[in-house]
Amino acid sequence: QKEVEQDPGPLSVPEGAIVSLNCTYSNSAFQYFMWYRQYSRKGPELLMYTYSSGNKEDGRFTAQVDKSSKYISLFIRDSQPSDSATYLCAMSAKGNTPLVFGKGTRLSVIA
Amino acid sequence: DSGVTQTPKHLITATGQRVTLRCSPRSGDLSVYWYQQSLDQGLQFLIQYYNGEERAKGNILERFSAQQFPDLHSELNLSSLELGDSALYFCASSEPGPLHFGNGTRLTVT
């Protein structure tokens, strides 16, 4: 079993839809959870950063962490064509330690 | 712009050769990480440096080595290159805190 599992998609939605992206993990020591967005030919860009369980909202983006289920989610409201990218979840057990990444979900938002 | 600079952007070389990838971290960031990204494996952690010292090692081959210099820039050296080493190589830096990535070096081994 991989440490972090993420459905690779591709996921295609119409503009304005609510998008739900998810990851599961097996290491119960993970406490730091991140979501990155990666456009083609670019490096991953940090979207959301959360510590432990709970929700965090930033504009159209909401990150949720459920440590009891080892499950994290990213919701995108009012999706836009510019949101079309690959979304990567990442996590670590301690600060200042390497992140373990999911393989990424490719999202297309169709105008 | 993340503030992390990687050079060169593209590198094409032959099997058996040696190359050096360079990374300048964000101003003030002490940690530098190297990752390899391929289509089938995703982002794989190679090695981390913190303020000049090796901090953590991941799936880095013995043919690969890295170092972080006193000015905090880092270099990743890849030698005896094989076709399977073709990938995107990313550098990331942190203060510590969340990682901020450069735009990578695309290595093609022919």
Side-chain angles (χ1 to χ4, degrees):
Chain A
Q1 182 188 12
K2 282 193 168 291
E3 269 195 301
V4 180
E5 300 272 9
Q6 185 175 9
D7 186 338
L11 182 61
S12 186
V13 301
E15 183 176 357
I18 296 174
V19 176
S20 171
L21 303 166
N22 311 294
C23 287
T24 58
Y25 62 94
S26 57
N27 188 345
S28 57
F30 286 149
Q31 296 190 85
Y32 296 86
F33 303 93
M34 277 138 274
W35 285 95
Y36 285 82
R37 176 175 63 195
Q38 186 175 20
Y39 292 114
S40 180
R41 302 183 184 278
K42 295 287 189 181
E45 170 195 8
L46 180 67
L47 274 180
M48 300 291 280
Y49 175 62
T50 55
Y51 171 73
S52 194
S53 282
N55 294 358
K56 184 173 183 178
E57 190 173 318
D58 185 0
R60 297 185 294 112
F61 299 91
T62 299
Q64 288 185 352
V65 175
D66 182 350
K67 290 186 69 180
S68 62
S69 302
K70 299 192 182 71
Y71 187 88
I72 69 170
S73 301
L74 178 71
F75 297 95
I76 307 174
R77 290 182 297 281
D78 187 25
S79 56
Q80 302 294 309
S82 58
D83 295 327
S84 298
T86 297
Y87 289 80
L88 300 147
C89 63
M91 46 200 81
S92 68
K94 298 178 184 178
N96 199 29
T97 56
L99 296 177
V100 180
F101 281 83
K103 283 195 174 182
T105 300
R106 182 187 279 184
L107 171 68
S108 293
V109 181
I110 311 300
Chain B
D1 183 5
S2 69
V4 178
T5 303
Q6 288 188 250
T7 57
K9 289 184 180 179
H10 304 278
L11 207 46
I12 302 174
T13 189
T15 54
Q17 294 299 304
R18 182 180 191 275
V19 297
T20 298
L21 281 53
R22 182 187 169 98
C23 170
S24 294
R26 292 189 321 163
S27 177
D29 283 0
L30 298 178
S31 272
V32 168
Y33 302 75
W34 287 96
Y35 281 82
Q36 180 192 59
Q37 187 176 43
S38 59
L39 278 173
D40 56 340
Q41 292 294 320
L43 269 167
Q44 297 290 310
F45 168 66
L46 295 177
I47 197 163
Q48 176 197 3
Y49 281 84
Y50 178 78
N51 202 20
E53 301 280 330
E54 183 183 301
R55 174 64 69 95
K57 238 176 181 177
N59 302 321
I60 188 166
L61 300 171
E62 284 192 14
R63 300 183 285 109
F64 296 0
S65 65
Q67 54 184 335
Q68 186 179 28
F69 295 87
D71 67 353
L72 301 178
H73 91 271
S74 178
E75 292 181 356
L76 178 67
N77 300 296
L78 315 176
S79 60
S80 303
L81 285 167
E82 301 174 0
L83 295 177
D85 297 327
S86 296
L88 268 168
Y89 290 84
F90 286 105
C91 168
S93 72
S94 69
E95 195 175 349
L99 272 60
H100 299 271
F101 283 81
N103 282 325
T105 293
R106 182 176 294 277
L107 174 66
T108 302
V109 182
T110 62

